[in-house]
Amino acid sequence: MPTISPPTDMCIIVTYRCPMQCKMCNIWANPTQRNQEITLDEIKRLPNVKFINITGGEPFVREDLEEIVEICLKKAQRVVISTSGWHDERVIALAKKFPKIGIRISIEGLSVKNDELRGRPGGFDKGLRTLLTLKEMGLKDIGFGCTVSNNNSADMLALYQLSKSLGLEFATAAFHNSYYFHKDDNVITNKTEVCADFEKLVNLQLKENHPKSWFRAFFNMGLINYIEDNKRMLPCEAGLVNFFVEPYGDVYPCNGLEEKYWMEKIGNIRETPDFQELWQSEQAEKVRAMVRKCPKNCWMVGTASPVMKKYMKNPLLWAAKNKLRSLAGKPAVLDKCYYDVGQDPRQGDLRESF
């Protein structure tokens, strides 16, 4: 069996405990027990990578999050925590100790819509106040993370304008089903409206001066493509360039698996303490083979970003062409191409049988 290159990205799900009660996620109803969650020693066994995302549940319920971050900063150049911002004082305290940390606060709309979708009144106020405090402290890698579901895409555009005016990052997603969220009914029903709002966002991002925004426009075109149930634009290489670690130590290629299609783990860091052994195992290769023909057309930043970088030519040409159109006052061409880079044609196409 050939030697597999080490991963570049990993996501550590440190807990399934969460104070929110989001409409699009039932993690909060399926919490982990504190004494069963991944330990500091187990996190130390994970490999060095370029990027680490710490998520949950709500990471800030972990009393040892400071120690977790300390370990992760020794393993990666960039570490970002995804949080609801509910525990605002804890976020601020951690940022004071680690000013280079990235923070993405999940906000799903303006005040009323956000609190409705996230199930806790006052969530928007806490999140925005936390971001403003972090900005005042001088943190650079901070911003909103917005998951578009039904009837919040107009608020997504307002959040984008707010983030831009404040000089904050703005990350997007579209909700989806997975074992991770314990949901199988996350389906966008007002597709025309949502896709039209994403198209507006694409054109706004192309007007910006920073090239990063043009590639985000490409990513958001991929979300339109996903919402319209088209074939995934670029291949998925989950389990090859990135992986997820659950609180119980299970290592999965991604967090978008569903048993009705397939669900297979690479291994468990508790059962196989040597990550290199786990990563090079026959079971890992079996999972990669399943990923190569996985029918799901997911388009999430965790699996889209690494392949956008790997196959840079495709988003680069799209971004260059459409930036020129933007400068000429013309709208973007949303070609939503299927970029054939040698992937299995069955991958990312729910119209094909698995």
Side-chain angles (χ1 to χ4, degrees), residues 201-265:
L201 179 61
V202 165
N203 283 292
L204 288 169
Q205 289 174 321
L206 286 167
K207 288 180 180 178
E208 294 188 43
N209 294 325
H210 202 295
K212 181 191 283 188
S213 298
W214 312 340
F215 288 101
R216 284 179 176 157
F218 178 90
F219 174 80
N220 284 317
M221 181 178 72
L223 287 177
I224 297 173
N225 182 69
Y226 161 72
I227 293 165
E228 292 179 343
D229 299 317
N230 296 322
K231 196 169 184 175
R232 182 183 164 108
M233 295 195 308
L234 284 169
C236 177
E237 296 187 355
L240 190 64
V241 294
N242 67 282
F243 66 93
F244 282 70
V245 185
E246 282 204 308
Y248 302 110
D250 285 330
V251 177
Y252 284 98
C254 73
N255 67 337
L257 301 178
E258 294 181 78
E259 288 188 2
K260 69 178 180 180
Y261 298 113
W262 70 281
M263 184 170 169
E264 191 89 28
K265 66 182 178 182

Side-chain angles (χ1 to χ4, degrees), residues 160-177:
Y160 164 75
Q161 296 288 12
L162 178 60
S163 68
K164 186 180 175 185
S165 67
L166 294 172
L168 303 175
E169 301 288 334
F170 186 69
T172 50
F175 77 168
H176 58 279
N177 297 315

